[in-house]
Amino acid sequence: MQTVFEQLREKVILHLSTIYAEIELDRDYETLADEIITTMRLNSSNVGQLSAHTNLWTEEDIVLITYGDSVIETTDDMVDSSNNPPLETLKVFLDKYCAKAVNHVHILPFFPYSSDDGFSVIDYSTVNQGLGDWEHIQKITENFGLMADLVINHCSARSAWFQQFIDDVPPGNKYFFTASPEDDTSLVVRPRTSPLLRETKTAAGIKHVWCTFSHDQVDFDFRNPDVLIAFAEIIRLYMDKGTRIFRLDAIAFLWKKNNSSCINLDETHEAVKLFRTLIENVDPSAIIITETNIPNRQNLTYFGNANEAHGIYNFSLPPLLVNTLLTGDCFYLKSWMMSMPPAQNGTFYFNFIASHDGIGLRPAEGLLDDNEINNLVNCIQSFGGKVSWRSTEDGKQKPYEMNIALIDALQGTIDGPDQWQIERFICAHAIMFGLEGVPGLYIHSLLGTTNDYDKVVNTGQNRSINRHRWVYEELVEELDDVHSLHHQVLTKLTQLLHIRRAQPAFHPNATQFTLQLGRKIFGYWRQSLDRRQSIFCVSNITNNTMEVKLSDINLIGTDEWIDLISQQHIVMEQAILVLEPYQTVWISNMFDRD
């Protein structure tokens, strides 16, 4: 009978034989498997794999998304050696304002970088000195689970590895994917309009390096197994430093192949399975989330058979939810919800509305028609937002992403700004917090941060509009002012999260059914895994007062019911529930919580 370690080795060999089936390697699969397992420091005494269908999360799990310098002690022109590093200031903010609302923090790439606000990594092994050091990261992990980015598709053109490529010295000389300008790349799917190939002078002659995103972000060549080993070493380092959740950045583009789309290839999926196998054997409680900003059907494939990602970004939610609240019509959101398969045990949806990137439109393809998308884009632009574009296969330009702070995106409807901005904004989060899955909350949503036009001008990047840096003293002043937008948003969202985290029916894998309440009222029903608690989440997504028949919600008349948000008891005899503009109710049965 095989030992657990022997089973692990056999599994890794199988992954490798699938990934490299079409590649001629300089070593056999057994040798390569042993190298990777050794790099991960796994042996017969410390493997710890769990069942694929084990839920490693509960209703208490909430992730705050932030840059390491989203909150700083001083502005850049005031910095001196006596200032606390941004990661230290971030910890102070997290401990004071977030400890009761969230229990995980996603610190966006905190490594030395050359562009793209961290996603062009120069050195994977060190913390950006402008933010702090590994000790500051580990102090944050004392109170919060750490989610970290594995920027695995590409690195900075200023990295030591790429300099080795230019100098034609190992190991970097064979780390990057190259192609010929004569190659047919017409099928390649990309999220950018820049030229795909970067002409680079090297000691071995002119090379054309593949750049999915920008010419400062040079793509790795995973056909070289030494690249895989290098990333196994990086993964192990991050785990040693306290990483609990891995975000596999731009993972869909990992493997390239001639005459293909170079996205979502079988080898890429098998690589995710390999990473899952390695990571869960080091730490059975560790989690992988894939970041795949692609159409919904393709995104779902990254669950595999509960053997790829534990979680996938629910990329269709932001454009559909924003569209719902701008139009006052939940038809598209409801249709999508009804089509989504429940995440089986051992997997979950990672729900979010806003992030450091914009509101992606590719995940809305096939869900919103072109006319609906154009109306949405026009509305966002009228509210001060920017639009990023991509090139289609026939050379046309299509909107790829809407760049705007969420609080500004929801300042009104398609008819223009109105007085319901905060209510609409809170409604969006109340809907998201209750959905099946784990919520991810962007720091600038938690704080109600508005568009940062100065940063757009300074960086020349549309995405900078939603990447503001707060000076901590100024932020505290705003948060202490009960009349400020930022205080109101933080208070209301924190209250919702506090309620959410205490409800078994909001477990990420609890049952969810979409309610049929027309196009002006959006609702769904959640039921706890033990079936003892039911919560009916009902939202008025219009700027008019609406009535809902209790009989349409189908509350069980023998139970006692309460709105968890307002703490108002539901009187069944009244028959009608009145909802103010953008009001959400979480109607729960009263049950014994022992």
Side-chain angles (χ1 to χ4, degrees):
M1 183 176 178
Q2 284 185 318
T3 65
V4 175
F5 181 75
E6 288 170 338
Q7 292 173 0
L8 165 65
R9 184 173 183 270
E10 187 175 280
K11 193 173 182 180
V12 172
I13 291 170
L14 181 59
H15 289 315
L16 295 172
S17 65
T18 303
I19 294 170
Y20 294 107
E22 300 178 7
I23 306 297
E24 185 176 340
L25 300 180
D26 60 359
R27 69 204 92 169
D28 58 38
Y29 298 133
E30 290 78 7
T31 300
L32 179 56
D34 290 339
E35 289 182 67
I36 293 173
I37 290 170
T38 299
T39 300
M40 295 294 295
R41 300 203 303 277
L42 288 164
N43 55 58
S44 58
S45 64
N46 67 359
V47 293
Q49 185 178 7
L50 276 180
S51 166
H53 297 285
T54 300
N55 293 328
L56 304 172
W57 39 84
T58 72
E59 59 275 9
E60 295 187 32
D61 288 310
I62 313 286
V63 180
L64 182 75
I65 306 164
T66 180
Y67 280 102
D69 60 356
S70 289
V71 183
I72 57 176
E73 188 172 27
T74 62
T75 55
D76 290 343
D77 57 356
M78 298 165 58
V79 171
D80 62 49
S81 59
S82 65
N83 291 323
N84 291 325
L87 285 171
E88 190 169 318
T89 305
L90 178 63
K91 175 175 167 50
V92 172
F93 167 78
L94 291 171
D95 289 344
K96 181 174 182 179
Y97 292 103
C98 303
K100 294 182 179 180
V102 306
N103 61 339
H104 299 282
V105 58
H106 173 198
I107 306 178
L108 290 152
F110 45 80
F111 317 103
Y113 71 96
S114 55
S115 64
D116 199 18
D117 280 354
F119 286 92
S120 185
V121 179
I122 293 175
D123 181 359
Y124 287 84
S125 63
T126 62
V127 174
N128 184 346
Q129 291 183 347
L131 298 178
D133 53 34
W134 279 116
E135 185 177 351
H136 292 110
I137 293 289
Q138 290 178 294
K139 284 183 178 178
I140 290 175
T141 67
E142 292 173 2
N143 295 329
F144 298 90
L146 175 65
M147 178 170 166
D149 288 275
L150 190 66
V151 185
I152 196 168
N153 177 71
H154 53 263
C155 72
S156 169
R158 289 175 50 192
S159 65
W161 282 340
F162 196 66
Q163 187 59 50
Q164 291 168 356
F165 176 83
I166 293 172
D167 296 338
D168 193 30
V169 297
N173 61 334
K174 295 182 179 179
Y175 270 21
F176 298 94
F177 195 91
T178 61
S180 167
E182 307 303 318
D183 291 342
D184 182 2
T185 58
S186 61
L187 296 177
V188 174
V189 174
R190 298 177 61 221
R192 299 289 186 272
T193 57
S194 57
L196 175 62
L197 301 180
R198 164 194 164 132
E199 184 177 296
T200 304
K201 293 182 180 179
T202 78
I206 297 293
K207 300 287 183 70
H208 293 88
V209 183
W210 194 281
C211 299
T212 298
F213 292 90
S214 79
H215 283 193
D216 186 49
Q217 294 166 297
V218 284
D219 284 28
F220 290 111
D221 187 355
F222 274 85
R223 296 175 303 178
N224 176 4
D226 290 335
V227 176
L228 185 61
I229 293 172
F231 271 92
E233 187 173 356
I234 291 165
I235 289 170
R236 182 66 214 217
L237 171 67
Y238 292 1
M239 298 184 81
D240 290 344
K241 298 299 185 181
T243 299
R244 165 84 194 287
I245 306 173
F246 283 90
R247 176 185 184 269
L248 302 189
D249 176 65
I251 186 67
F253 303 96
L254 184 75
W255 197 269
K256 289 86 177 172
K257 188 184 296 186
N258 288 335
N259 300 314
S260 79
S261 64
C262 297
I263 186 172
N264 306 322
L265 299 185
D266 291 342
E267 291 87 348
T268 294
H269 283 281
E270 196 65 35
V272 176
K273 293 175 186 176
L274 172 61
F275 298 139
R276 165 84 174 255
T277 296
L278 296 172
I279 288 171
E280 69 185 5
N281 274 280
V282 173
D283 179 2
S285 69
I287 293 168
I288 289 175
I289 301 179
T290 48
E291 186 266 335
T292 46
N293 193 355
I294 53 180
N296 191 56
R297 286 183 179 274
Q298 298 172 27
N299 192 29
L300 289 169
T301 64
Y302 282 86
F303 278 142
N305 295 313
N307 60 352
E308 291 190 40
H310 296 90
I312 63 171
Y313 272 73
N314 216 345
F315 273 110
S316 296
L317 179 61
L320 291 177
L321 183 49
V322 169
N323 182 72
T324 293
L325 291 165
L326 294 183
T327 62
D329 185 343
C330 65
F331 173 79
Y332 295 100
L333 177 63
K334 186 165 62 174
S335 298
W336 167 72
M337 281 264 293
M338 292 170 63
S339 72
M340 288 291 281
Q344 59 183 306
N345 285 330
T347 65
F348 66 89
Y349 293 111
F350 186 64
N351 296 323
F352 70 107
I353 320 173
S355 73
H356 62 289
D357 290 338
I359 300 170
L361 291 171
R362 284 216 73 206
E365 292 176 9
L367 303 172
L368 295 176
D369 60 35
D370 288 345
N371 186 59
E372 199 78 17
I373 288 177
N374 288 336
N375 289 339
L376 177 59
V377 167
N378 290 337
C379 183
I380 291 298
Q381 287 179 311
S382 74
F383 290 161
K386 309 290 183 180
V387 178
S388 298
W389 302 83
R390 70 179 181 91
S391 295
T392 61
E393 293 177 7
D394 56 6
K396 294 182 179 179
Q397 300 288 295
K398 289 194 70 172
Y400 171 75
E401 181 180 84
M402 301 181 298
N403 304 109
I404 191 169
L406 187 64
I407 190 75
D408 284 314
L410 297 175
Q411 65 184 270
T413 68
I414 55 174
D415 294 323
D418 59 26
Q419 75 271 35
W420 302 107
Q421 181 181 28
I422 292 180
E423 289 83 358
R424 189 180 293 109
F425 184 78
I426 299 303
C427 178
H429 286 88
I431 290 173
M432 188 264 282
F433 290 160
L435 288 174
E436 172 191 356
V438 173
L441 178 62
Y442 189 38
I443 188 171
H444 292 306
S445 292
L446 179 67
L447 298 174
T449 310
T450 56
N451 289 334
D452 190 335
Y453 295 110
D454 290 339
K455 194 165 187 180
V456 173
V457 172
N458 292 335
T459 65
Q461 300 295 321
N462 287 345
R463 285 178 168 178
S464 296
I465 200 169
N466 197 22
R467 297 178 179 180
H468 181 70
R469 269 193 206 140
W470 278 101
V471 174
Y472 183 68
E473 184 176 337
E474 296 173 1
L475 176 60
V476 169
E477 185 176 343
E478 289 287 345
L479 296 180
D480 286 347
D481 179 1
V482 295
H483 302 293
S484 79
L485 168 73
H486 310 291
H487 172 90
Q488 293 177 58
V489 167
L490 175 68
T491 300
K492 291 176 184 295
L493 291 184
T494 300
Q495 288 172 345
L496 283 177
L497 288 172
H498 182 73
I499 296 168
R500 180 234 147 75
R501 296 182 69 193
Q503 313 308 320
F506 284 148
H507 185 284
N509 296 93
T511 298
Q512 176 175 289
F513 286 109
T514 307
L515 301 177
Q516 302 301 319
L517 301 172
R519 297 174 70 147
K520 303 298 183 184
I521 301 291
F522 179 69
Y524 52 92
W525 168 56
R526 302 295 310 278
Q527 185 181 55
S528 59
L529 296 175
D530 62 9
R531 300 188 178 184
R532 294 170 61 196
Q533 185 186 25
S534 285
I535 301 179
F536 291 87
C537 306
V538 181
S539 298
N540 177 1
I541 47 93
T542 76
N543 53 13
N544 297 307
T545 300
M546 302 291 293
E547 294 184 348
V548 181
K549 295 179 181 178
L550 290 178
S551 59
D552 289 343
I553 301 176
N554 200 26
L555 301 181
I556 300 173
T558 56
D559 286 358
E560 290 186 62
W561 298 89
I562 187 172
D563 171 23
L564 298 170
I565 298 175
S566 67
Q567 288 298 296
Q568 295 295 313
H569 285 264
I570 304 300
V571 180
M572 300 296 292
E573 289 75 16
Q574 289 183 350
I576 296 293
L577 182 67
V578 178
L579 294 179
E580 297 301 319
Y582 303 105
Q583 181 182 354
T584 294
V585 291
W586 287 345
I587 302 175
S588 173
N589 60 328
M590 308 288 285
F591 70 104
D592 186 1
R593 295 176 183 268
D594 61 1

